[in-house]
Amino acid sequence: MTDFAHKPTLTGDLVVLRPLDEGDYDALAAAMDDPEVARLTGSHQEIGEERAREWMRTRKDQTDRLDLAIVDRASGQVVGEAVLNDWDPDNKCCNFRILIGPAGQGRGLGTEATRLIVGYGIGQIGLHRISLGVYAFNPRARRAYEKAGFKVEGVLRDALLWEGEWVDEIVMSILASEWIPAHSPRDSSV
């Protein structure tokens, strides 16, 4: 098993996942400024521009996580990010999260990005388990995760307080033994 020091560029039919960098700030800030994106990700607070730019500048140096920009191949625009984080090398597992702004929604980009990064995590990094959490008010994301092979494990009841309402978080995961690649991600950075 290796770590996340190598930052791949993964190419699919609809998206390219490439290393996140400071130049992606404007696109991701615009996505996070969308009230629906903030709600679906449970983002309560704004991160200042300086702090966000510094965070993006350091992503390439991280060996315990993988932060990739999602580029829409049709437009060439960055429409979101896909992340493997909370890596536990002893247990060969990590967490997955994804953010897709309005420009990338409803066209299968998130489903393909999910398949690409999961395929890389299992096939190249050697992960045994990848987990995620999705809020109950986001059935579209849940369907995309299920299409990529994730299965529901349970529910964290009242995990998010959003505008005065408690929302459950659905915990999902995929195991290496369950992974059926549609096609292997092509790492064009090698």
Side-chain angles (χ1 to χ4, degrees):
M1 183 158 171
T2 186
D3 64 17
F4 291 107
H6 172 67
K7 306 301 182 193
T9 296
L10 307 174
T11 303
D13 296 329
L14 302 174
V15 298
V16 172
L17 303 183
R18 62 154 175 76
L20 187 68
D21 64 40
E22 184 184 358
D24 300 320
Y25 172 80
D26 290 336
L28 292 179
M32 283 304 298
D33 283 345
D34 181 80
E36 184 66 0
V37 170
R39 183 177 80 90
L40 296 177
T41 59
S43 300
H44 285 293
Q45 59 194 356
E46 182 179 316
I47 300 170
E49 180 177 347
E50 185 177 323
R51 186 169 161 218
R53 285 185 182 276
E54 175 60 25
W55 184 86
M56 288 182 174
R57 254 192 305 277
T58 63
R59 296 307 85 201
K60 66 185 175 302
D61 302 324
Q62 306 305 308
T63 60
D64 64 342
R65 60 182 291 142
L66 179 62
D67 299 89
L68 299 177
I70 302 170
V71 180
D72 178 354
R73 288 187 68 179
S75 69
Q77 283 185 296
V78 172
V79 296
E81 67 174 348
V83 177
L84 293 176
N85 62 358
D86 296 335
W87 184 41
D88 178 346
D90 293 331
N91 292 305
K92 299 182 178 185
C93 64
C94 71
N95 180 70
F96 167 69
R97 68 177 178 77
I98 189 169
L99 177 147
I100 302 277
Q105 294 175 2
R107 296 183 288 129
L109 305 183
T111 299
E112 185 176 76
T114 299
R115 286 182 177 143
L116 287 170
I117 200 165
V118 167
Y120 181 79
I122 291 172
Q124 302 300 311
I125 299 297
L127 295 172
H128 171 71
R129 180 178 186 276
I130 300 173
S131 61
L132 62 85
V134 60
Y135 295 115
F137 54 40
N138 194 352
R140 184 178 66 208
R142 181 174 167 179
R143 281 191 304 277
Y145 302 142
E146 288 170 342
K147 284 182 193 175
F150 282 84
K151 295 184 177 14
V152 173
E153 290 188 333
V155 175
L156 300 176
R157 299 177 307 144
D158 291 353
L160 174 71
L161 180 60
W162 192 262
E163 296 180 351
E165 300 285 327
W166 288 105
V167 181
D168 292 346
E169 181 179 357
I170 300 160
V171 178
M172 302 178 78
S173 72
I174 186 167
L175 303 178
S177 60
E178 298 167 338
W179 175 244
I180 302 169
H183 52 78
S184 298
R186 298 182 301 273
D187 180 354
S188 55
S189 63
V190 180

